[in-house]
Amino acid sequence: MPLNIDLQQILLHWMNLAILVGGLYFILFKPVKQFMEKREAHYRERDRQAEEKLADAERIMGEYQAKLDGADEEIRQSRAKAQQAVQQAAEEQLTQVQTQAQQILTHARAEAEHDREEILRSSQRELRRLAAEATKRLALQSDPFDQFLDLAEEGGNNEKR
């Protein structure tokens, strides 16, 4: 054979190679491929479950958001009602206070008028008494000059003390 090529040796190597590839295929490649397919199926299943859970979570979150929005609206309405009630109570209290103030003012005016009249009566009585006393003194002392001297003496005695 030219170039020292032995066809029998080449065929034997090809056969060994085919047996080796076939053996490796059945011993290694096929089990590894099955393992990889199972693993891929397992992760696909987990991915599908995660997507379902995510969709459920989003749906539940939407429901809760709707409930929160409803609660916010209820809170706003109750706050408005409470503010109205407080405002109404404040107005009622203001009205009562104004009524009481008016009553107090009316009572004070009446009392002041009564006190004024009482003071006028008292001062008129005092003036009458003083006039009567002055008249009595004038009647007792006929001479105004003597009265002057008596008053001067009383004033002089008060200064010495």
Side-chain angles (χ1 to χ4, degrees):
M1 271 228 246
L3 294 174
N4 210 6
I5 297 177
D6 189 8
L7 284 177
Q8 188 178 10
Q9 286 291 328
I10 292 175
L11 284 174
L12 267 173
H13 285 297
W14 274 105
M15 209 121 130
N16 281 337
L17 182 64
I19 292 172
L20 181 65
V21 168
L24 288 176
Y25 176 78
F26 288 110
I27 293 173
L28 291 176
F29 184 71
K30 199 170 186 183
V32 168
K33 188 175 180 183
Q34 287 175 352
F35 173 76
M36 294 298 282
E37 287 173 356
K38 285 180 187 176
R39 184 174 173 196
E40 188 177 332
H42 173 71
Y43 282 115
R44 271 194 219 123
E45 180 63 23
R46 286 188 70 178
D47 189 38
R48 184 189 61 77
Q49 288 174 353
E51 286 176 2
E52 286 177 3
K53 287 180 181 179
L54 182 63
D56 287 344
E58 287 177 356
R59 180 184 53 80
I60 291 171
M61 190 173 87
E63 291 173 3
Y64 284 138
Q65 187 63 40
K67 287 180 182 179
L68 282 175
D69 292 342
D72 286 343
E73 181 63 25
E74 287 178 27
I75 288 170
R76 188 190 61 75
Q77 288 175 355
S78 359
R79 189 175 289 158
K81 286 179 184 177
Q83 285 177 345
Q84 277 182 335
V86 166
Q87 187 176 12
Q88 186 177 8
E91 288 174 1
E92 289 174 2
Q93 194 172 20
L94 181 63
T95 304
Q96 288 175 354
V97 167
Q98 287 175 341
T99 304
Q100 287 177 349
Q102 190 64 31
Q103 289 173 353
I104 290 170
L105 187 60
T106 304
H107 180 70
R109 283 182 182 159
E111 198 172 302
E113 184 63 29
H114 176 71
D115 288 347
R116 183 179 149 279
E117 289 174 4
E118 186 64 34
I119 289 170
L120 280 174
R121 277 189 234 124
S122 170
S123 64
Q124 286 174 352
R125 272 187 255 136
E126 184 67 23
L127 283 174
R128 284 186 205 133
R129 186 186 63 77
L130 287 174
E133 190 177 311
T135 307
K136 194 188 286 183
R137 277 190 179 180
L138 281 176
L140 290 177
Q141 295 179 350
S142 60
D143 189 14
F145 184 71
D146 288 337
Q147 282 181 342
F148 175 73
L149 290 177
D150 287 341
L151 286 174
E153 284 179 12
E154 285 178 17
N157 290 338
N158 285 340
E159 287 179 9
K160 289 179 183 176
R161 290 184 195 165

